[in-house]
Amino acid sequence: MPEEPDIELSFRGGRLVSALPIALFIAWAIFQSGILGIGDTTGLVAGMLTGLIVGLLFVRGDWKDYADVVFAGMTRRVAATAVVAWLWAGMFAETIQVGGFVDGLVWAATVLNVGPGLFPAVTFLLAALLATGIGTGYGTAIAFTSLVFPAGLLLGANPVLLFGAILSGAVFGDNLAPVSDTTIVSAVTQDADIGGVVASRVKYAVVAATLAIAAYLVAGFGIPGVWGGMPYVDVAGEVSASVSPWGLVHLLDIAVVIALAVRGRHIIEAVSWGLLLAAAFNVALGAANLVDVSVGSMLLFSAPQNGLTQAVEALPLLGAVVETVPAGQVGVGGSVYSGAAGFFPLIVLTLLLVAGAEVMRAGGGFDAIQELVIDRVATTVRRAETTMVVGTALVNATVTINTAAEIAIAPYVATLGKRFNINGYRRANILDANTSALGYIFPWGGGLLAGYGAMQGLVGGEATPWFTAEMLVNPASVFPYVFHGWFLVAVFLFAAWTGYGREYVSDRTSEEVSRV
């Protein structure tokens, strides 16, 4: 059956009006997340729905064509690829977290007893390791701010510098992890395989990370560490006794996922192997009482109490637990469930944003912008790449939920890059660098606010009764110290202007989209 031809749309006001749905979404996102400070992905879904409805009012001709274009966009392969990858990555990330991986990193940070000057640099490395493994910078910012930040303060580390180091580690993992949502989006929107993208961006990430480590070492030993009058307290023994090192075994399943992805195996295959290995480790560690994890932490059915449920409850279900609960508490839980469910709002937002991009394509908006940019600004490859870097930076500086910003700007990067025959790997790397970095730098950034929210939870907490509201780090004061984020942006500005790492379509090809 032959494919249906692409539908073309005409808008009152010209081709650029086809960008109205996405433009309204960006304005909504700036108001919601930047001005009001509300980091709610479901709220952004409402914003994109509103944009699509408003766009309909400017269509010339049959509104059915507009509706067909919306459906065509939502069924694009790029959207389906991102959705599937997120579901698998979410399950994997949650499963290693319930297996004590964070505790293992906290244990390593404390038993090394590196001292206040070295502690920010070590924290950056460990946060980068966690973020690379679980693929979520937001989760890393929350976990390390809750667990490592208090220990660092008591050891005498500078609080603003330490918070910046945590956010830098989150940036590193968001940028490099094969299971990161930003990595997945950057790859599939630029027709590149995820493993190849990860391998190709190592050279940029390592340069930025090396500079960041040097900066944290210099700042760590050069900036006073303690809050006014707070004495140095050696808490290494106390903290290390409260956490277990056994969660570090999950470094093995993280290594399996990264190795398989970089070797070009399908992302579902790579993450599935890691997920199976992580589940096996969790069962073994829980059975040996080495880590506080049960099978129910991975998959739990809470069912109403009746005869049938009691019969099922007695069955030895492999990998799952059934429990009887009162009628008002029924549901499904565990890392497999919550890991996938956590991405549901982002999945809906992605489908709608891809639909908005399709409206813009069908209405000639991308062609109009491309003609304008190429004629006046991006007249050479160097200027085109610089325009991509600056454009992604501007969008990510305003739309503070980084994945939403990345999806919104991705079609522009793809269109401009293809015009100059720039390879998909290179385009994906330019797209993801600013997306990963700027969401953790500015005071209104979603990643920074996630970590700050966790810090607020330390005030008067059972584990941190000494932590007061006066000890909170001002979000506006931390942005100069997110060193890896700034260096990553600088590396890509340098790469765009000098041609470092530049590849063209003819240099190498990607086959991931055909395998998905």
Side-chain angles (χ1 to χ4, degrees), residues 56-370:
L56 180 64
L57 303 177
F58 289 84
V59 173
R60 293 182 185 274
D62 194 347
W63 282 10
K64 178 182 180 299
D65 290 341
Y66 183 92
D68 288 340
V69 169
V70 170
F71 272 92
M74 295 179 75
T75 56
R76 288 283 183 185
R77 192 165 202 161
V78 60
T81 302
V83 166
V84 171
W86 281 335
L87 292 174
W88 259 255
M91 291 187 292
F92 174 69
E94 286 291 321
T95 298
I96 68 172
Q97 287 191 77
V98 301
F101 184 53
V102 175
D103 279 0
L105 292 179
V106 174
W107 176 87
T110 53
V111 298
L112 290 174
N113 198 18
V114 293
L118 193 57
F119 198 84
V122 172
T123 297
F124 164 63
L125 291 173
L126 293 175
L129 181 61
L130 174 63
T132 303
I134 67 176
T136 165
Y138 284 24
T140 299
I142 292 170
F144 261 58
T145 303
S146 300
L147 299 171
V148 178
F149 183 76
L153 292 187
L154 291 177
L155 288 170
N158 178 275
V160 179
L161 188 63
L162 183 57
F163 191 34
I166 292 171
L167 297 175
S168 281
V171 170
F172 183 93
D174 244 3
N175 177 239
L176 197 60
V179 295
S180 164
D181 52 358
T182 62
T183 300
I184 293 167
V185 169
S186 69
V188 299
T189 57
Q190 306 306 313
D191 296 329
D193 65 282
I194 295 172
V197 164
V198 171
S200 68
R201 72 179 44 158
V202 168
K203 56 181 174 290
Y204 308 111
V206 168
V207 170
T210 301
L211 295 172
I213 291 171
Y216 282 119
L217 289 173
V218 172
F221 287 100
I223 300 177
V226 295
W227 290 102
M230 180 182 289
Y232 175 89
V233 181
D234 185 359
V235 296
E238 179 182 346
V239 175
S240 62
S242 65
V243 292
S244 168
W246 289 101
L248 292 174
V249 72
H250 287 296
L251 289 172
L252 295 176
D253 39 73
I254 293 170
V256 166
V257 172
I258 295 175
L260 290 176
V262 170
R263 289 181 59 187
R265 306 299 284 270
H266 196 290
I267 189 63
I268 289 180
E269 180 183 1
V271 178
S272 292
W273 277 115
L275 180 61
L276 291 172
L277 188 59
F281 281 143
N282 285 355
V283 172
L285 292 172
N289 292 321
L290 297 175
V291 172
D292 184 18
V293 59
S294 66
V295 176
S297 299
M298 293 182 286
L299 189 57
L300 175 66
F301 296 95
S302 300
Q305 192 167 5
N306 55 51
L308 181 60
T309 300
Q310 291 174 340
V312 174
E313 187 178 15
L315 296 176
L317 298 176
L318 181 61
V321 168
V322 177
E323 65 175 5
T324 56
V325 296
Q329 301 177 16
V330 298
V332 180
S335 63
V336 173
Y337 169 83
S338 60
F343 279 99
F344 288 171
L346 184 58
I347 286 171
V348 176
L349 178 61
T350 300
L351 295 176
L352 295 173
L353 280 167
V354 174
E358 186 69 10
V359 168
M360 194 172 171
R361 182 207 61 76
F366 283 124
D367 291 338
I369 292 175
Q370 178 178 319

Side-chain angles (χ1 to χ4, degrees), residues 422-451:
I422 299 171
N423 192 286
Y425 293 119
R426 175 76 163 185
R427 300 196 311 266
N429 291 333
I430 292 174
L431 174 62
D432 193 65
N434 287 327
T435 298
S436 299
L438 298 179
Y440 298 89
I441 288 177
F442 295 117
W444 54 84
L448 189 152
L449 293 176

Side-chain angles (χ1 to χ4, degrees), residues 3-23:
E3 293 185 3
E4 295 183 3
D6 289 335
I7 300 172
E8 293 186 1
L9 298 175
S10 177
F11 285 84
R12 295 181 178 88
R15 293 182 298 174
L16 287 176
V17 179
S18 66
L20 186 59
I22 288 183

